[in-house]
Amino acid sequence: MALPFLPGNSPNKQLGKEKFHKSQHFDYSNGVPMLVGSEKPGIGGEPLGGQKIKPKYSVYPTGRGSALPSWLAFDKQALCFEAYCQEAVPEARDETYRIRKFNIYFFLEDDTIQVVEPEYKNSGIPQGTFIRRQRVPLPPPNDDQFYNIFHFNLDQQMVLHSRTFTVTNCDTFTRNFFSKLGVRLNNPAAVPADPYSNLREQIEKSMTPLRPYERRDTLKQFLDHEGEVLRFKCFWDDSESVFGDLRELLLHYFLADDTIEILEIIPPNSGRDTAAKFLRRSKLPKHSVQMKQPGQLTDRTVLNVFDSSKQGKRYILDSLKTGAVNEDFYKDCDLTIGREVSVWGRRLIIADCDNFTKDYYRFKYGIEDFTPVQYKAPPAPKPPRPVPPYNGFGSEEDSLSSCQGLLPKPPQKDFHKFMEKDRNVLKFSAKMVTDDPVDSERTFIISFYLCDDSISVYEHSQRNSGVLGGKFLERSRVKKPGQQLFKSELSEYFTAQDMYVGATICINNWNFQLLDADEYTLNYMEQHAEEFPKANVGNILSKLRSIQEEKQSEIKKFLTLSDPGNTGFIPYESFRGLLTGLDCGLSEHEVLILGRCFSERTQPEADVGLMLAVAQDFLKKKHFEELPDMARDFTHRDQQKTGRLSTKETRTICKAFKLPLPETLLGGLLSVFADGNEIDYHAFLAGINWVEHHAPPVMPEDTLKFDVNARSDGGGATVKHVNYSSLLRDVFNITSNNADPTAAT
């Protein structure tokens, strides 16, 4: 039963439709209105009744394939086919038809076709681009359509602009492309022979030119060995002649063209003028004693057939080379150490060669013996040049440079060391070694700068001590004690290897004992253990393994008694007292490094209140009042309205607003407010808002803890407990009675 055609009873075809545009079918051409869009669809892109929309391109129809447009997906990609066509040649005696070969290129980006005919020598036909790149229509009656990729196949004929082409083969890329499309190609077809081309080939083979020039291919040798030169040291003994002596020379053999160049080494004050070259670059004959006249050596020999005053002279080329002069030249195989080379009557002896020449002969000829020839006495040792003692003016290096030349130059610093180790500072806490009770309570920070080996000393200020704190020693290099002041040798200065925990150094007649180092210093020394022997764990373990068995048993017994609960850990102070009391040959720094290696270190918890107070103090001093703008930017970035952003986005917003906080303080705050990889930006902004949420005032020393260049003077991660079971197992191969403490931890 059909429903009545009333509203609500018939399906609406417009449901879900979003496009209602109408295609333009009319336009003006040369001022005349005419129909230009007969194949365009109707409203919303839907085809009209009885209309068939033809695809514009062949590879990607509408709604299928890649999301990229064809001009971008197939940019610079083309299919190549080999084809031929046969054309008649009327009114010709030698040929009745001609076979012409072509290359058909199909460009995938816009379905255009280009036909190119390869050029052949002496063909008499204008060749090259036969059909320029364009979209080629199909033959009638389908001339309203164009060729696409599915019209191509092997061993078939194609009509391009009324000319019939037979496709015979294609390249590998085309074959693979059709395989991916699922198109099966036919077998390649053979190209029929061209009678006239075969006749021309037979004629060219039977031709004997009057001047059969020989081809000498020297391009390959030039391309393979351009820039490669064999270098030999040689000498010429000319002592038998009047005022003659031993001459040193350099022989260069150029592998690109087998030419030789000889340069003379003229020592200073020899009485000889400097010549440009001993022998200019040329091929060196082996047996010639005099130079040839110009034209005497030629590639061809000319024969005089007859000479007549009436008919003139007749010449022909000597193709058999009956009068050619064959001359042998030096090659690379003739140049070895100890070999004699005749240079236009002068006998040169090859004495030595460079490393490249040795590698060349070792690889090509398998020569391994490159013992140089001794042709002169070794040079006499230079007389010593004593350096005068230091006179006390300026630095020792500056005074020494005035003795090295008439024009003194400032001493050069180690620039590479400065660039590599700039801002690398080792910091130690120290105290004075003295009997004075006042001085013994003073605490110092000794900083060692690795870029120039300089030392600075800073003293902590203590209330009611009677001693003013501050800078104790300006940054400078410090000499080691016990050296003579006025001497010829340079003084020895303190180096980084002299700085370690437990060491006692004398700085300007003041003895300091290094008590501890900060975490950065200890980590740096452990990472560069090859420079700091005291921080090399391998050397420390070797010292422990070399102690006597009696002490090993004492160590095990003491460690067992110090751990009554069999936890596998003992306090660090007990461990330090054990190694110090047994006299194992370990310094205080080595004991500390060993404890850090087998330790359970705990990081001190960050004081969030202090960090927020210091951050508000920085913002208040910089008059930073852009926190509301930052809040709006955070809200704009938070599209899901969750109140959280990633750490990377939060740091980016802080950098964009130029938040005036040190990097260490900003990183610490972000880590405090981070929950995984996200940060609660509302709590972060409320914590640093110094206008609405006031924090208590902070002291200057609290601000210095988070400054850009400030670092804590303490040890950072402290060592509290030592895993002695791992120490016994790794060092003495002793297994403790308790369970594995590492797993329990």
Side-chain angles (χ1 to χ4, degrees):
M1 178 178 179
L3 296 176
F5 189 71
L6 296 175
N9 295 331
S10 60
N12 188 1
K13 298 182 180 180
Q14 306 296 335
L15 290 177
K17 189 174 181 180
E18 298 180 356
K19 297 182 180 179
F20 299 94
H21 66 276
K22 183 178 180 181
S23 302
Q24 176 69 22
H25 292 263
F26 299 93
D27 202 354
Y28 283 89
S29 178
N30 296 328
V32 179
M34 58 189 305
L35 181 66
V36 297
S38 60
E39 297 181 358
K40 292 187 177 181
I43 296 176
E46 296 182 355
L48 302 175
Q51 186 182 26
K52 295 182 179 180
I53 304 300
K54 300 177 183 179
K56 188 176 181 181
Y57 300 114
S58 60
V59 180
Y60 285 153
T62 305
R64 295 172 54 190
S66 174
L68 297 176
S70 59
W71 58 267
L72 185 59
F74 298 104
D75 184 27
K76 298 180 182 180
Q77 295 186 13
L79 307 182
C80 180
F81 299 91
E82 298 178 4
Y84 74 93
C85 72
Q86 179 178 341
E87 63 179 12
V89 182
E91 300 179 0
R93 181 175 58 88
D94 297 332
E95 55 179 346
T96 58
Y97 66 91
R98 181 182 298 118
I99 301 297
R100 301 178 64 176
K101 300 178 182 179
F102 297 90
N103 291 332
I104 302 177
Y105 298 98
F106 182 84
F107 296 89
L108 298 172
E109 55 181 330
D110 52 0
D111 287 1
T112 54
I113 296 176
Q114 182 182 14
V115 182
V116 178
E117 183 179 7
E119 296 183 359
Y120 294 95
K121 184 179 180 181
N122 298 329
S123 64
I125 303 174
Q127 297 172 338
T129 302
F130 190 75
I131 299 177
R132 63 180 178 83
R133 181 177 174 180
Q134 57 183 296
R135 297 187 70 188
V136 180
L138 294 173
N142 300 322
D143 52 352
D144 58 338
Q145 302 179 18
F146 296 92
Y147 276 100
N148 56 43
I149 190 174
F150 300 106
H151 291 99
F152 285 85
N153 209 326
L154 303 183
D155 196 9
Q156 71 172 14
Q157 292 184 349
M158 302 179 61
V159 180
L160 305 178
H161 292 303
S162 302
R163 185 178 290 268
T164 304
F165 295 86
T166 303
V167 182
T168 59
N169 204 349
C170 65
D171 58 356
T172 306
F173 173 78
T174 305
R175 190 176 301 275
N176 295 335
F177 190 83
F178 274 100
S179 299
K180 294 179 180 179
L181 289 181
V183 178
R184 178 176 296 180
L185 296 178
N186 302 329
N187 295 327
V191 181
D194 186 10
Y196 185 72
S197 298
N198 297 337
L199 179 61
R200 288 291 304 270
E201 291 179 2
Q202 295 177 3
I203 295 175
E204 290 180 358
K205 291 180 180 179
S206 62
M207 292 176 60
T208 55
L210 298 178
R211 296 185 179 184
Y213 291 110
E214 296 179 357
R215 180 177 178 83
R216 297 183 178 181
D217 187 12
T218 58
L219 181 60
K220 183 179 184 305
Q221 181 182 1
F222 173 79
L223 294 178
D224 293 344
H225 301 287
E226 170 62 16
E228 297 181 358
V229 183
L230 304 182
R231 182 186 180 95
F232 299 92
K233 292 182 180 180
C234 51
F235 65 94
W236 170 36
D237 191 1
D238 191 30
S239 57
E240 296 181 357
S241 61
V242 180
F243 304 110
D245 54 357
L246 191 69
R247 311 277 286 273
E248 297 184 37
L249 304 106
L250 287 177
L251 188 146
H252 294 161
Y253 183 88
F254 297 87
L255 296 174
D257 53 0
D258 298 329
T259 55
I260 292 178
E261 175 189 63
I262 300 178
L263 307 176
E264 184 176 3
I265 302 176
I266 299 179
N269 301 326
S270 62
R272 296 183 180 276
D273 292 335
T274 303
K277 293 180 181 179
F278 188 82
L279 175 68
R280 65 178 179 86
R281 180 177 176 179
S282 60
K283 289 191 175 183
L284 181 62
K286 292 183 179 180
H287 307 293
S288 296
V289 294
Q290 60 182 359
M291 296 289 292
K292 302 294 183 182
Q293 296 296 328
Q296 189 173 357
L297 292 177
T298 57
D299 296 337
R300 286 290 174 182
T301 305
V302 181
L303 300 180
N304 187 1
V305 180
F306 61 88
D307 186 3
S308 174
S309 59
K310 296 181 180 180
Q311 298 181 1
K313 300 179 180 181
R314 295 292 184 269
Y315 303 97
I316 64 173
L317 294 177
D318 183 12
S319 59
L320 300 179
K321 299 182 180 181
T322 58
V325 179
N326 296 324
E327 194 166 5
D328 193 10
F329 296 95
Y330 278 103
K331 301 291 184 181
D332 55 350
C333 58
D334 302 322
L335 304 177
T336 55
I337 296 178
R339 191 77 174 268
E340 179 180 320
V341 180
S342 177
V343 182
W344 303 109
R346 295 170 175 82
R347 296 172 58 253
L348 271 65
I349 306 298
I350 299 178
D352 199 0
C353 59
D354 61 353
N355 294 329
F356 172 77
T357 307
K358 294 178 182 178
D359 295 338
Y360 176 81
Y361 279 93
R362 188 181 293 110
F363 175 76
K364 185 174 182 180
Y365 297 105
I367 300 176
E368 296 292 341
D369 186 13
F370 298 99
T371 305
V373 177
Q374 299 294 336
Y375 59 92
K376 61 180 180 179
K382 295 182 179 180
R385 300 174 60 183
V387 179
Y390 175 55
N391 53 12
F393 293 96
S395 63
E396 297 182 2
E397 292 80 3
D398 193 12
S399 299
L400 181 61
S401 61
S402 63
C403 304
Q404 296 175 350
L406 296 178
L407 299 177
K409 298 180 180 180
Q412 298 293 330
K413 296 182 179 180
D414 192 348
F415 181 74
H416 295 282
K417 181 179 179 181
F418 174 79
M419 294 300 296
E420 292 176 0
K421 299 183 179 181
D422 187 23
R423 298 184 181 180
N424 292 342
V425 184
L426 307 181
K427 290 190 175 183
F428 300 88
S429 60
K431 68 174 183 179
M432 278 190 179
V433 181
T434 179
D435 297 334
D436 191 349
V438 177
D439 292 340
S440 61
E441 298 295 332
R442 300 165 66 181
T443 58
F444 300 87
I445 298 297
I446 299 180
S447 302
F448 188 89
Y449 300 86
L450 295 176
C451 60
D452 56 357
D453 295 343
S454 57
I455 297 176
S456 66
V457 181
Y458 179 84
E459 182 178 3
H460 280 298
S461 59
Q462 300 180 11
R463 295 182 178 181
N464 302 324
S465 63
V467 179
L468 295 177
K471 188 181 298 183
F472 184 84
L473 175 66
E474 189 76 25
R475 177 179 173 180
S476 61
R477 298 175 65 189
V478 179
K479 296 181 181 180
K480 292 184 178 181
Q483 301 184 66
Q484 185 179 358
L485 180 60
F486 302 102
K487 61 182 185 304
S488 301
E489 297 81 10
L490 295 178
S491 299
E492 296 183 5
Y493 295 86
F494 281 106
T495 60
Q497 288 72 24
D498 301 324
M499 311 293 292
Y500 57 89
V501 177
T504 301
I505 59 176
C506 181
I507 301 178
N508 297 341
N509 296 329
W510 293 88
N511 294 325
F512 293 90
Q513 184 180 4
L514 305 183
L515 303 178
D516 198 0
D518 61 355
E519 184 68 18
Y520 173 81
T521 302
L522 296 176
N523 288 334
Y524 185 87
M525 297 176 74
E526 292 174 0
Q527 294 173 4
H528 301 79
E530 67 278 358
E531 300 180 15
F532 301 94
K534 299 292 184 180
N536 195 330
V537 180
N539 296 342
I540 300 173
L541 296 180
S542 300
K543 291 182 180 179
L544 287 179
R545 294 190 184 102
S546 61
I547 63 178
Q548 302 176 0
E549 296 182 359
E550 299 178 357
K551 290 186 178 181
Q552 293 183 13
S553 60
E554 293 181 9
I555 292 176
K556 180 182 178 182
K557 182 178 179 180
F558 179 83
L559 294 176
T560 305
L561 295 177
S562 300
D563 184 19
N566 290 333
T567 60
F569 292 91
I570 64 172
Y572 171 72
E573 294 298 332
S574 302
F575 176 77
R576 172 179 171 275
L578 169 65
L579 296 182
T580 306
L582 290 179
D583 193 12
C584 300
L586 299 179
S587 62
E588 186 73 23
H589 192 94
E590 291 175 333
V591 174
L592 178 60
I593 295 298
L594 189 62
R596 288 168 57 87
C597 182
F598 297 91
S599 67
E600 179 189 16
R601 285 178 284 173
T602 58
Q603 292 287 347
E605 297 182 358
D607 191 351
V608 182
L610 180 61
M611 294 174 63
L612 293 176
V614 173
Q616 291 189 12
D617 185 66
F618 273 106
L619 299 180
K620 185 177 181 180
K621 290 180 179 179
K622 297 294 183 179
H623 300 285
F624 186 79
E625 299 178 354
E626 299 181 9
L627 293 176
D629 298 336
M630 290 182 63
R632 285 192 292 269
D633 198 354
F634 276 113
T635 306
H636 177 71
R637 294 287 185 93
D638 186 12
Q639 299 181 359
Q640 304 297 333
K641 307 303 179 181
T642 60
R644 296 177 179 274
L645 285 179
S646 63
T647 306
K648 183 178 180 181
E649 291 179 342
T650 306
R651 185 180 293 272
T652 302
I653 295 176
C654 294
K655 293 297 183 182
F657 281 90
K658 298 181 180 180
L659 192 67
L661 293 180
E663 184 64 28
T664 55
L665 181 58
L666 178 60
L669 289 176
L670 294 181
S671 62
V672 167
F673 288 96
D675 185 7
N677 195 25
E678 295 183 347
I679 292 179
D680 185 0
Y681 58 86
H682 292 295
F684 172 70
L685 293 177
I688 64 175
N689 194 340
W690 61 276
V691 179
E692 299 179 359
H693 305 88
H694 297 283
V698 295
M699 301 300 293
E701 54 268 17
D702 297 333
T703 305
L704 291 176
K705 294 181 181 180
F706 302 97
D707 202 355
V708 179
N709 299 322
R711 297 183 303 181
S712 61
D713 299 331
T718 58
V719 181
K720 293 184 177 181
H721 297 86
V722 178
N723 188 350
Y724 72 90
S725 59
S726 299
L727 177 64
L728 294 177
R729 182 175 60 254
D730 296 345
V731 179
F732 306 119
N733 295 326
I734 300 175
T735 304
S736 60
N737 298 328
N738 57 341
D740 187 7
T742 306
T745 306

